Amino acid sequence: MNLESLIEINPIILALVATIFTWLMTALGSSMVFFFKNIDKRLLNSMLGFAAGVMIAASFWSLLKPAIEMATNQGDIPWVPALTGFLAGGTFLLMVDKILPHLHMGLSTDKAEGIKTTWQRSILLILAITLHNIPEGLAVGVAFGALANTPDVGILAGAVALAMGIGLQNFPEGAAVSIPLRREGFTRFRAFNYGQFSGFVEPMAGVLGAYLVATMKPLLPYALSFAAGAMIFVVVEELIPESQRGGEGNETDLSTIGAMLGFAVMMLMDVALG
């Protein structure tokens, strides 16, 4: 099946299929916990850096740049939807981060963020992991939802590239979640289950994003920028600090190199395919 034939399919269905793919890639990465009990800190930092690089590149090439172009074509001031949506996305994640109880990996329970609660440590950990998968699913859904108003092969190719890039970084991300959970004392099956479940939110966010932009065309540039802002918030607030934690000298260089490679790979995929 070629890209031209895919245009005839309902964009919401395409978004669902694409985000199921990204979820499965998370599950595949999480399955590494059945083969490894520990993960080298340098490798973990490199994988987190790679994921950060992919998300940064996707935020511009797959989301902000198309948003600016769409606003221009609609006769709007190009920077208004991009700036407004970008800041709204970051603000939304900031609010959720302040409200939703969650705990980042490797920290003690008293360092939990959000509203104070007596929830178990495992629940707080999975909520932290799930939180940053929402923007990824939303981004893929919005990209495919654009086809409802502009059934163009170029837009479809860009959406496919974005889904592939997110899926690519979800594999090491899944491993980076499940294996440390195993080190926290979880059984292999429980660590895998929590790791793959963190990606389950992506199909839900993807379908929601696709539906919103498919039914409200003027919303599209704002929705693309919103997803970009949410993704950048996650990168700066979580992925980059986590990739630098516990390392020094050459060890932190590895996470930086990983981020550069992730950016380069995502940029290559988006430009080549989109």
Side-chain angles (χ1 to χ4, degrees), residues 7 15 46 55 58 78 90 92 99 103 123 142 154 170 192 232 241 248-249 252 259 261 266-267 271:
I7 292 180
S46 300
M55 292 177 70
F92 174 75
I99 296 172
L103 176 66
I123 300 299
V142 167
N170 273 0
F192 164 75
I232 291 297
E248 57 184 35
T252 57
L261 289 175
M266 185 65 231
M267 179 174 63
V271 175

Side-chain angles (χ1 to χ4, degrees), residues 93-174:
L93 258 291
L94 176 62
M95 293 172 60
V96 174
D97 189 68
K98 296 297 183 183
I99 296 172
L100 182 70
H102 62 284
L103 176 66
H104 294 295
M105 200 77 65
L107 299 180
S108 58
T109 306
D110 62 337
K111 296 292 177 55
E113 300 178 24
I115 296 174
K116 298 302 179 183
T117 178
T118 57
W119 292 351
Q120 292 182 352
R121 176 181 175 83
S122 58
I123 300 299
L124 295 173
L125 287 169
I126 194 64
L127 286 175
I129 298 161
T130 302
L131 179 60
H132 80 249
N133 280 310
I134 295 175
E136 297 175 9
L138 183 64
V140 174
V142 167
F144 278 98
L147 292 167
N149 302 302
T150 310
D152 180 78
V153 174
I155 292 178
L156 175 59
V160 170
L162 176 60
M164 291 175 60
I166 296 296
L168 181 65
Q169 65 96 27
N170 273 0
F171 177 83
E173 197 172 74

